[in-house]
Amino acid sequence: MEQIVSKKNEHVKVWAKLATKKGREVQGTYLLDGWHLVQEAINNKAKMHAIMVTEDQLKMHELEFPEGVPVYLITAEVAKYIGGTVSPQGIFAEITLPTKSLKPSYVHKGAWLLLDGIQDPGNIGTMVRTADAAGFKGVVLGDGSADLYSPKVVRAMQGSQFHIEVLKGNLLEWTQELVSNDLPVYGSQLNPQAKNYQEVNASLDFALIMGNEGQGMAEELAKATTANLYVPINGEAESLNVAVAAGILMFNLKLVL
Amino acid sequence: MEQIVSKKNEHVKVWAKLATKKGREVQGTYLLDGWHLVQEAINNKAKMHAIMVTEDQLKMHELEFPEGVPVYLITAEVAKYIGGTVSPQGIFAEITLPTKSLKPSYVHKGAWLLLDGIQDPGNIGTMVRTADAAGFKGVVLGDGSADLYSPKVVRAMQGSQFHIEVLKGNLLEWTQELVSNDLPVYGSQLNPQAKNYQEVNASLDFALIMGNEGQGMAEELAKATTANLYVPINGEAESLNVAVAAGILMFNLKLVL
């Protein structure tokens, strides 16, 4: 097992760069921080390039490490540098960046969440986690959304990227193809002229689009949907947080058998 | 109008300290950052000690400033320092820290959200905002929760502290008093043995308790409730984000007339 004590080590430089989009694209990998996520990756047989671990964490979890994956023993100092946080747990894994794509013309079943221009990494990650909890089949990120595998998104996803499909795609194409495959596609709008979500019957196979935090979903998408829904605001708040609104919609629209 | 160009100005030192709990307690005030929040404070007649504004923002909003509140013209540099962010909008207000309390024995009506040991400021603020949007009467923070008026909580509340009651209190006392006043108090647990929230009829007058992100709600509270509810997880996610779960529960439990 290789020991790394310096932040100037070549491996460490690469791992620290995985916090940036460019670093992830150059390496084709991203970082998991903390045992919960590393364990999810192991349990779901994610492609693992390396495990980086402090001595304490090694003792606790070594028996669960998969065979054939290089393990690097790191210091607490190096762990802080890799994780970019003040008090990291001290265990990381470097994972292959998924490149899977899926043509929407082949999608005939399941509940899908489409994210149009979501900017906040925490919101993206929380919505992927909620989609998983609600029994959705997958999440599709449109072009304008923040990057999927940044440290903040990965933390908020809580490993749900290993449970459901998480894809990039052209949302107008997805909307048109799903509608032509007889899957209703529901937009969401902060607009009392839109349809109250409580008027829609729960179903198994449909898509829900959530739009940008400030601007909502793109007009051309809203025109292509089966219907656009809104969550009625009963108090004086102007709006809901997008991840909260997505949670209310997903749990109410998804039929559970 | 006083102009402030230096970060070493005595006022600026005080405002910058409002980012800390101690600073807020010493001054008895907290900070609003951005026109949306300042406007909410003005519209809701919050007690305002000062408005701090860059020249650009002054031109845009001066006509809406309330009479008698001291206005300080600040530089972009000072604005960054006060707000603690890289690109602040350039308008702030210093507001009286609320000290209002309410005895739960007097509470006979309305929907109430009780927060037990919530740690993440974004979660607290988002739940206050969601409670407002769901038509709740107020939110009560128990002892173990993070501070209410930190910059992150204030940002996430989006001004909802001006629309509904936001209080501190002893949650066991609240639970016992509300139950004895015939208001059902629903706990929430990540436990399939608890009651499915969909089995509870929506109502006008009740309380909902949300617990700590990792540990859930305190055992002694769970024992004192009318019933404890859970949101069924249909996929492989282990749990929901607490603010998302709160949104699903609030919007489903609250009857809208």
Side-chain angles (χ1 to χ4, degrees), chain A residues 21 24-25 113-128 139-150 153 157 166-172 208-218 221 242:
Chain A
K21 187 172 182 184
R24 293 189 291 276
E25 284 172 352
L113 178 67
L114 277 45
L115 301 183
D116 178 36
I118 305 291
Q119 285 309 300
D120 181 83
N123 283 339
I124 293 180
T126 300
M127 286 192 275
V128 172
V139 179
V140 185
L141 262 82
D143 293 332
S145 290
D147 194 58
L148 246 172
Y149 294 97
S150 73
V153 176
M157 286 197 287
V166 182
L167 310 162
K168 291 178 187 177
N170 179 309
L171 296 191
L172 187 59
L208 168 68
I209 307 176
M210 300 303 301
N212 175 271
E213 289 89 343
Q215 310 300 318
M217 56 186 287
L221 272 182
V242 66

Side-chain angles (χ1 to χ4, degrees), chain A residues 152-252:
Chain A
K152 283 182 185 174
V153 176
V154 171
R155 197 176 313 137
M157 286 197 287
Q158 293 265 316
S160 285
Q161 73 270 34
F162 301 122
H163 307 152
I164 63 175
E165 309 269 9
V166 182
L167 310 162
K168 291 178 187 177
N170 179 309
L171 296 191
L172 187 59
E173 186 191 342
W174 270 78
T175 301
Q176 290 165 340
E177 292 287 352
L178 294 182
V179 167
S180 81
N181 284 354
D182 289 330
L183 252 71
V185 177
Y186 301 115
S188 55
Q189 292 183 319
L190 190 63
N191 171 10
Q193 307 299 313
K195 189 171 183 168
N196 186 330
Y197 77 102
Q198 292 160 311
E199 293 169 20
V200 177
N201 286 331
S203 63
L204 292 172
D205 309 313
F206 67 94
L208 168 68
I209 307 176
M210 300 303 301
N212 175 271
E213 289 89 343
Q215 310 300 318
M217 56 186 287
E219 196 55 43
E220 62 167 8
L221 272 182
K223 284 180 185 158
T225 58
T226 312
N228 295 310
L229 311 181
Y230 90 110
V231 180
I233 305 281
N234 303 308
E236 289 175 64
E238 285 181 13
S239 62
L240 286 165
N241 166 282
V242 66
V244 172
I248 294 167
L249 289 167
M250 285 193 268
F251 270 79
N252 281 279

Side-chain angles (χ1 to χ4, degrees), chain A residues 38-55:
Chain A
V38 174
Q39 192 180 31
E40 283 279 355
I42 294 170
N43 292 345
N44 291 282
K45 299 190 171 43
K47 279 188 197 162
M48 212 170 267
H49 295 237
I51 293 176
M52 303 77 102
V53 63
T54 58
E55 205 164 337

Side-chain angles (χ1 to χ4, degrees), chain A residues 36 40 44 126 129-130 132-135 158 160 162-164 197-198 231-244 246-248 251-252 254 256, chain B residues 36 40 44 126 129-130 132-135 158 160 162-164 197-198 231-244 246-248 251-252 254 256:
Chain A
H36 173 66
E40 283 279 355
N44 291 282
T126 300
R129 177 182 175 190
T130 307
D132 179 11
Q158 293 265 316
S160 285
F162 301 122
H163 307 152
I164 63 175
Y197 77 102
Q198 292 160 311
V231 180
I233 305 281
N234 303 308
E236 289 175 64
E238 285 181 13
S239 62
L240 286 165
N241 166 282
V242 66
V244 172
I248 294 167
F251 270 79
N252 281 279
K254 176 74 170 60
V256 180
Chain B
H36 174 65
E40 283 278 358
N44 290 281
T126 300
R129 177 181 176 191
T130 308
D132 179 12
Q158 294 264 316
S160 285
F162 301 122
H163 305 152
I164 63 174
Y197 76 104
Q198 292 161 310
V231 179
I233 304 283
N234 303 309
E236 289 175 64
E238 286 182 13
S239 63
L240 286 165
N241 166 280
V242 66
V244 172
I248 294 168
F251 270 79
N252 281 280
K254 176 74 171 63
V256 180

Side-chain angles (χ1 to χ4, degrees), chain A residues 88-102:
Chain A
Q89 215 181 358
I91 183 162
F92 303 85
E94 186 187 0
I95 301 286
T96 292
L97 202 61
T99 53
K100 189 181 168 187
S101 67
L102 181 63

Side-chain angles (χ1 to χ4, degrees), chain A residues 15-37:
Chain A
W15 293 326
K17 279 187 193 153
L18 297 180
T20 68
K21 187 172 182 184
K22 194 181 163 201
R24 293 189 291 276
E25 284 172 352
V26 168
Q27 293 301 319
T29 59
Y30 72 102
L31 207 68
L32 300 176
D33 181 346
W35 173 241
H36 173 66
L37 296 184

